[in-house]
Amino acid sequence: MTFDVIVIGGGSAGQSAALQLLRARRRVAVVDAGRPRNRRAAHAQGFFTRDGATPGSLLEISRAQLERYGTLEWVEGEAVGASGARDAFRVELAGGRMLEGRRLIFAVGVRDDLPGVEGLEPLWGREVFHCPYCHGYELERGDIGVIGSSELVVHMAELITEWGEVTFLPFGFVPDAGQVAAMEARGVRVESAALARLEAGPVAHLADGRALRFAGLFAASRVWPASPLPEALGCRVEETPMGGVLAVDAMGETSVAGVFSCGDAARQPHSIALAVGHGAMTGAGVHRSLVF
């Protein structure tokens, strides 16, 4: 069977795109490897009508609703290859199965390249966060550390003063006098000693031997599409100060005809709400490409 659309990625954006296509009575395969970026987060905050729900529960509810439509095939597995052209794509799954489809949607999410602080990775998504709108309120206006790994983090530190008392922890980047003055004008405390390592708590150990405990920490990761398949198929990746995104037009189509992308892999900044909206628009764009 040839599907109208193969969606690679069953997260918020992929399911939202699939919903629009299913409601247009199109045959859709969703290929999901079950590794959403927010799988470590205890709660999904700031999402309309579902504030505080667990990320997994949102995906379970959505999948159950998608499966009410008779033209869906949900494929649990990993896409390991993609080839072909508009109206004749082939997707290879781990295990050897091949899917054929007229259009592809890459809703593959992103991988985070984290600052190289010892002890950071196990705390990512639990005590070290990337988005104050997603996680700031729950810190109860406590002490917040910001890992100063680049010039971009200066702006982050200034913004996060809306959620608590902020300390800038230099790591591989030393702010100049003007940047220090700007942060201090917003109430940010700028440490002179560099951050050495982190441990659960979270606790920041500094190079001068001091240990500072925080309600939570924020860090700026650089992100890249989580799958190599779009680039291997020829989709253009644009590099930004925050990493790389798949270049798409207003309807979500990449530089390869018939190949679309939505969600975190194709836009910045990132949140569930933004991914859902982008997925809905891309799903409609794919449907229009099938009609016209």
Side-chain angles (χ1 to χ4, degrees), residues 130-155:
H130 80 287
C131 173
Y133 295 100
C134 301
H135 302 285
Y137 185 89
E138 284 65 40
L139 301 181
E140 301 288 352
R141 301 196 64 80
D143 291 327
I144 300 171
V146 175
I147 297 172
S149 59
S150 72
E151 188 171 359
L152 289 175
V153 184
V154 172
H155 175 69

Side-chain angles (χ1 to χ4, degrees), residues 237-262:
V237 176
E238 293 181 338
E239 188 163 350
T240 78
M242 293 179 284
V245 295
L246 291 168
V248 296
D249 65 16
M251 299 308 291
E253 192 165 18
T254 70
S255 58
V256 176
V259 179
F260 293 73
S261 183
C262 58

Side-chain angles (χ1 to χ4, degrees), residues 31-147:
V31 180
D32 183 41
R35 295 192 296 270
R37 182 191 186 194
N38 60 6
R39 60 190 178 276
R40 295 184 178 186
H43 302 283
Q45 310 289 356
F47 184 43
F48 179 66
T49 78
R50 292 294 183 269
D51 186 41
T54 62
S57 71
L58 295 178
L59 296 179
E60 290 171 4
I61 292 168
S62 176
R63 176 175 170 179
Q65 292 176 346
L66 294 184
E67 289 177 336
R68 297 173 188 168
Y69 294 89
T71 55
L72 170 73
E73 181 174 345
W74 187 278
V75 181
E76 294 183 353
E78 183 176 4
V80 296
S83 60
R86 180 184 171 104
D87 288 323
F89 291 106
R90 289 168 61 84
V91 172
E92 181 183 358
L93 306 180
R97 182 184 175 189
M98 300 293 294
L99 303 178
E100 297 181 351
R102 296 181 60 196
R103 301 288 185 275
L104 292 183
I105 299 177
F106 286 113
V108 295
V110 294
R111 60 175 173 84
D112 292 284
D113 285 348
L114 301 174
V117 183
E118 180 184 346
L120 189 159
E121 199 280 334
L123 305 181
W124 184 244
R126 297 185 175 99
E127 295 183 332
V128 183
F129 310 108
H130 80 287
C131 173
Y133 295 100
C134 301
H135 302 285
Y137 185 89
E138 284 65 40
L139 301 181
E140 301 288 352
R141 301 196 64 80
D143 291 327
I144 300 171
V146 175
I147 297 172

